[in-house]
Amino acid sequence: MDLARLRAETPGIDRVLHFNHAGGSLPPQPVLDAVLAHLQREAVSGPIEAGQAAAPALEEARAEAAALLGATPREIAFTGSATQGWGLAFAGLPLAAGDRILVGRQEWGGNLTTLQRAASRTGAVIEVIPCDDTGRASPEALAGMIDDRVKLVSLTWIGANGGLINPAAAIGRVARAAGVPFFVDASQAIGQIPIGVVALGCDVLIAPGRKHLRGPRGTGLLYVRQGFLDRLDPPYHDARTAAWTPDGPRLQDSALRFEAGDFPMALRLGLGAAIRIARGLGIDAIRARLDGLAQGLRGRLAMIPGVTVHDLGVERAALVSFAVDGVEPAALRQRLAAQGITIAVNGVAYTPLDMTARGLGDICRAAVSYLHTEAELDRLADAVAATRS
């Protein structure tokens, strides 16, 4: 990795010490260039005309996204966010009274809210897959829960409030053997760990562009396995997703049935640029660097008296969750922000089941990037330690 070049291509790198990459990363200049160039084309040519001219570039971005996930371009839809993609796919899944939905303990709060609303309307029930001794969703426990009433297994691969990585492929094998639909929320996984949808055995996978991919906010990816497509009936359509015919609508025979015709072309071209950068660096190389940096930060924080690191799991991601005795997380965030250091504060709403089970409230989260240096990890740790004095 040419770290000097990557940092030089990131306009914000010298303005802020950013440790909120799990919320949204600092975008690189090539991404900004792609977005701004298309907006300029829209200004001088007209948005529709500029979009038509850029259609081949958009399909190149779709091919890049498919390659990133180990999918085919026909299985990829662009969305406005990961939440939108998950909601579109889930809304197309029929449910009835007595149906069971099984979720991991780290399930994203937004997904859970959607599930709760659906359960209240249909009479379906939501059950939590037990964790093993390390805090991960247990494939063995899941296997013991499966029966003919289970209509969905939903797993957030990496929880928003810690570095724990769930055994998604092992969970997928159980779901696939039982013929149960398997949804994966890869919001914190994409861009930082390798993803292969075939190995995962998932029917649906969603991810945003703004986090570890370093793409624009307002972008997301929805993967729908081709063989699963006709089991989903999207909640709404337009002339692009389902063409009108005298005999009824003709749905797209690809994931495009989830992709509305009116969308921010500039942002999606920016996402394509971000994916090209990630693939060029190599996700394996990114993962190795992030793992070293995250372990280094956990070690530094754990050595500070009064600091507790709250991460669980055997294999961990680049999200480091911690708390400082006697300092409210929001107050710590403010103190660090005054020094030009950004972290996140997450609460129960982000991962309600996990936080409640562990008796945690608000916690601090520092998410590292492959852009960070060892000196920057020292600076964050020193700033956290100073709050104890």
Side-chain angles (χ1 to χ4, degrees):
M1 238 181 239
D2 186 347
L3 189 60
R5 177 182 61 81
L6 292 167
R7 288 174 65 90
E9 289 180 348
T10 304
I13 202 72
D14 294 324
R15 295 176 177 268
V16 63
L17 181 49
H18 193 63
F19 280 96
N20 192 19
H21 296 275
S25 283
L26 300 176
Q29 191 62 48
V31 170
L32 299 176
D33 290 343
V35 173
L36 295 174
H38 187 77
L39 291 177
Q40 187 63 36
R41 285 193 293 270
E42 288 187 346
V44 299
S45 301
I48 302 301
E49 293 73 16
Q52 291 169 344
L58 183 65
E59 293 314 304
E60 290 176 10
R62 193 185 309 277
E64 290 278 359
L68 180 70
L69 301 180
T72 67
R74 293 176 55 81
E75 296 173 312
I76 300 296
F78 291 112
T79 60
S81 68
T83 296
Q84 182 189 49
W86 198 94
L88 284 170
F90 176 72
L93 191 69
L95 290 174
D99 287 347
R100 300 169 65 208
I101 301 167
L102 309 183
V103 302
R105 200 175 77 183
Q106 293 79 22
E107 192 72 3
W108 165 242
N111 298 349
L112 286 171
T113 300
T114 300
L115 289 170
Q116 286 176 322
R117 295 283 291 174
S120 66
R121 289 194 306 269
T122 63
V125 295
I126 304 166
E127 300 174 40
V128 183
I129 304 166
C131 293
D132 62 19
D133 292 341
T134 70
R136 302 178 303 171
S138 169
E140 294 77 18
L142 172 63
M145 300 175 74
I146 297 290
D147 62 20
D148 59 4
R149 294 188 299 123
V150 177
K151 303 303 181 184
L152 175 65
V153 173
S154 182
L155 184 75
T156 292
W157 196 348
I158 299 173
N161 279 352
L164 182 143
I165 301 177
N166 273 310
I171 295 289
R173 286 192 290 271
V174 175
R176 180 64 53 241
V180 175
F182 179 38
F183 285 21
V184 173
D185 185 332
S187 293
Q188 298 296 352
I190 196 165
Q192 75 155 313
I193 64 175
I195 297 176
V197 291
V198 174
L200 287 173
C202 60
D203 300 293
V204 169
L205 182 143
I206 59 93
R210 74 179 191 272
K211 298 180 186 288
H212 306 285
L213 278 179
R214 304 180 65 202
R217 192 173 190 181
T219 60
L221 298 174
L222 167 63
Y223 158 81
V224 181
R225 183 173 62 82
Q226 187 69 36
F228 187 69
L229 189 67
D230 287 335
R231 293 182 62 178
L232 298 180
D233 183 15
Y236 61 87
H237 295 283
D238 64 9
R240 173 186 171 95
T241 64
W244 183 92
T245 76
D247 299 321
R250 186 178 67 250
L251 272 66
Q252 292 268 11
D253 61 353
S254 71
L256 285 177
R257 68 175 58 179
F258 294 95
E259 191 174 302
D262 190 24
F263 56 85
M265 175 70 85
L267 297 183
R268 292 184 181 178
L269 294 175
L271 176 59
I275 294 172
R276 279 191 291 275
I277 291 171
R279 294 191 64 227
L281 293 173
I283 302 300
D284 286 325
I286 291 173
R287 168 64 179 148
R289 179 163 175 78
L290 287 177
D291 187 48
L293 290 168
Q295 288 190 43
L297 181 57
R298 288 189 185 98
R300 286 168 169 84
L301 292 174
M303 291 177 62
I304 302 172
V307 172
T308 302
V309 176
H310 286 294
D311 295 341
L312 300 177
V314 175
E315 184 185 12
R316 296 175 180 177
L319 289 68
V320 181
S321 297
F322 65 98
V324 180
D325 291 349
V327 183
E328 289 295 322
L332 178 63
R333 178 179 58 186
Q334 291 176 346
R335 293 185 196 181
L336 295 179
Q339 303 172 54
I341 304 172
T342 55
I343 63 168
V345 172
N346 287 354
V348 174
Y350 284 76
T351 51
L353 301 174
D354 185 59
M355 298 290 275
T356 301
R358 297 168 64 191
L360 297 175
D362 287 351
I363 57 173
C364 299
R365 185 187 70 192
V368 300
S369 165
Y370 58 76
L371 295 171
H372 284 136
T373 65
E374 296 291 335
E376 288 174 333
L377 301 187
D378 289 337
R379 183 181 165 195
L380 173 59
D382 290 344
V384 171
T387 65
R388 294 284 298 150
S389 58

